[in-house]
Amino acid sequence: HGFENNYVWVTGERTVSGEGGQYSIDIDDPSRISSRLEGPWAIVTDAQSGETVGMERDISDNNDIYWIGYDNSYRQEQSNVFYHTQIAHDFGIQPHINAEINSQTPLRVNLANSCNAFYNPRSMSISFYRRGIDNNGRECDALSLYSDVIYHEYGHGITVSLLGNWDPFSFPYWGETGNLNEALSDYTACAISD
């Protein structure tokens, strides 16, 4: 099915999908529908190809967007990252947390290394390594397939937001404050996953 908070273009006019991936747009004589894994809170790009999964087709009687038919990535990791980032975003903006994260987060999947993921506070982006063999010879799957990893990495963005501005000297990512940063991201993943 479609995703929430996903940009959809109908004959060149853009709208944002709502709950359950539903969208509507008032336009005379629509002829084409297109979308890609991009919305107000996330845009997903494959690090190897530089592309974002997208679709475009003629308008038909059924204009639902079923991403499983368009995401040809390894195991639909682009769709998975997009979907779970929406959940993490909604968690962070709850009134009792109130993180100011209402901007588009660049998400990159299939980086050329393996067995890791990271949040970059300078670019406010999240990167996920592709499936592969780690330095110890262990095989691991693409971490973009694991919701807990996505929530954890997005949790770093929530922490940066709550600090007001990332400053490596006031809240450095080493020692005790680095451990707190990791703990808060672990908490985010646990709280969302329940």
Side-chain angles (χ1 to χ4, degrees), residues 171-189:
F171 197 80
Y173 190 77
W174 60 81
E176 196 170 299
T177 54
N179 293 336
L180 285 169
N181 194 318
E182 286 301 319
L184 290 169
S185 287
D186 288 344
Y187 169 79
T188 299

Side-chain angles (χ1 to χ4, degrees), residues 17 60 64 69 72-73 75 112 117 119 124 126 134 158 189-190:
S17 61
S60 65
D64 293 335
N72 296 319
S73 54
R75 285 182 44 206
Y119 176 80
M124 295 186 292
I126 303 172
D134 72 9
I158 292 171
C190 289

Side-chain angles (χ1 to χ4, degrees), residues 129-187:
Y129 291 117
R130 66 182 177 195
R131 177 177 177 247
I133 308 295
D134 72 9
N135 294 336
N136 297 318
R138 293 179 302 227
E139 184 174 358
C140 66
D141 214 338
L143 292 181
S144 53
L145 297 171
Y146 297 95
S147 60
D148 287 345
V149 174
I150 298 165
Y151 302 153
H152 172 95
E153 296 306 332
Y154 200 88
H156 289 298
I158 292 171
T159 299
V160 166
S161 169
L162 294 173
L163 291 171
N165 189 3
W166 183 73
D167 178 356
F169 299 105
S170 65
F171 197 80
Y173 190 77
W174 60 81
E176 196 170 299
T177 54
N179 293 336
L180 285 169
N181 194 318
E182 286 301 319
L184 290 169
S185 287
D186 288 344
Y187 169 79

Side-chain angles (χ1 to χ4, degrees), residues 1-3 6 8 10 17 19-24 33-35 55-70:
H1 64 82
F3 295 126
N6 191 193
V8 177
V10 177
S17 61
E19 187 173 333
Q22 300 293 315
Y23 65 93
S24 67
I33 183 173
S34 64
S35 187
M55 58 75 63
E56 183 173 358
R57 67 171 190 249
D58 289 332
I59 294 288
S60 65
D61 291 336
N62 181 356
N63 291 307
D64 293 335
I65 301 171
Y66 295 99
W67 282 107
I68 196 166
Y70 296 103

Side-chain angles (χ1 to χ4, degrees), residues 88-103:
H89 171 268
D90 291 348
F91 173 81
I93 63 168
Q94 293 178 87
H96 66 282
I97 297 172
N98 201 28
E100 293 183 19
I101 49 176
N102 287 326
S103 62

